[in-house]
Amino acid sequence: MPSEHEEVQVRPGTEGDLTALTDLYNHYVRETAITFDTAPFTPEERRPWLLSHPVDGPHRLMVATGAGSRGILGYATSSPFRPKPAYATSVETTVYVAPDSGRRGIGTLLYKALFEALADEDLHRAYAGVAQPNDASTRLHERFGFRHVGTYREVGRKFGRWWDVAWYEKPL
């Protein structure tokens, strides 16, 4: 857990982060319904995802790192909302925070950096799907100006039960 005085840096993700990012994501795959992926990935399987988030443009990957050798504390992305061309000015955003990071403020730092990076892009809306229940994610999205626009009921099945996903929208 980072101390109160430990500096957290947020920067674009790089290929050197691939293993740590895959490990972080796999925690959520194995342990939670926050993602609806059900099988862990290898770094090589996650490489296309990483490469789809360059350092510029509308689809970004921002990582938070601790001072020294703490590694990846979390990451945030903006990704294509849907594949059809008319959706090009919309992105889907997400945040994942390392379970041992202490969580305090890491998501906020990541989203702040992500939305600053996207400010000059030709984007109109950001969307976020939040598997329910997830009060921390709901609060984070609302703090950044997202508003609830609807809930898909029992849209995903994982760990032998059905999960709802609340959808949030933010003007950019």
Side-chain angles (χ1 to χ4, degrees):
M1 180 163 162
S3 76
E4 230 177 271
H5 304 290
E6 180 181 12
E7 186 175 334
V8 175
Q9 297 176 350
V10 178
R11 61 169 173 74
T14 67
E15 194 151 352
D17 300 321
L18 181 60
T19 298
L21 291 168
T22 302
D23 290 345
L24 172 55
Y25 187 71
N26 282 341
H27 163 78
Y28 286 95
V29 170
R30 286 187 309 270
E31 305 295 329
T32 78
I34 289 173
T35 175
F36 286 173
D37 279 316
T38 58
F41 291 86
T42 66
E44 199 55 41
E45 290 168 328
R46 284 290 275 179
R47 185 176 308 284
W49 165 84
L50 181 118
L51 296 176
S52 72
H53 295 90
V55 296
D56 58 5
H59 307 133
R60 305 283 183 106
L61 165 63
M62 305 302 288
V63 298
T65 60
S69 61
R70 279 214 37 93
I72 302 291
L73 300 175
Y75 69 90
T77 62
S78 58
S79 301
F81 177 65
R82 297 281 185 266
K84 296 180 180 176
Y87 289 117
T89 59
S90 297
V91 291
E92 184 173 344
T93 62
T94 192
V95 174
Y96 287 91
V97 176
D100 61 352
S101 71
R103 295 182 185 254
R104 291 187 318 219
I106 303 295
T108 298
L109 290 171
L110 285 162
Y111 255 4
K112 182 177 183 293
L114 179 65
F115 290 120
E116 286 174 0
L118 296 177
D120 293 329
E121 298 297 332
D122 181 25
L123 293 172
H124 185 63
R125 290 278 190 269
Y127 295 91
V130 179
Q132 297 298 302
N134 190 333
D135 293 339
S137 186
T138 296
R139 284 191 306 274
L140 175 68
H141 286 89
E142 289 174 347
R143 192 165 46 251
F144 275 89
F146 283 83
R147 67 179 184 83
H148 182 254
V149 293
T151 299
Y152 293 167
R153 303 279 178 212
E154 298 182 351
V155 68
R157 188 170 61 187
K158 187 173 180 180
F159 304 135
R161 68 167 273 203
W162 294 101
W163 300 90
D164 296 347
V165 175
W167 282 93
Y168 293 83
E169 173 184 74
K170 170 187 173 64
L172 296 175

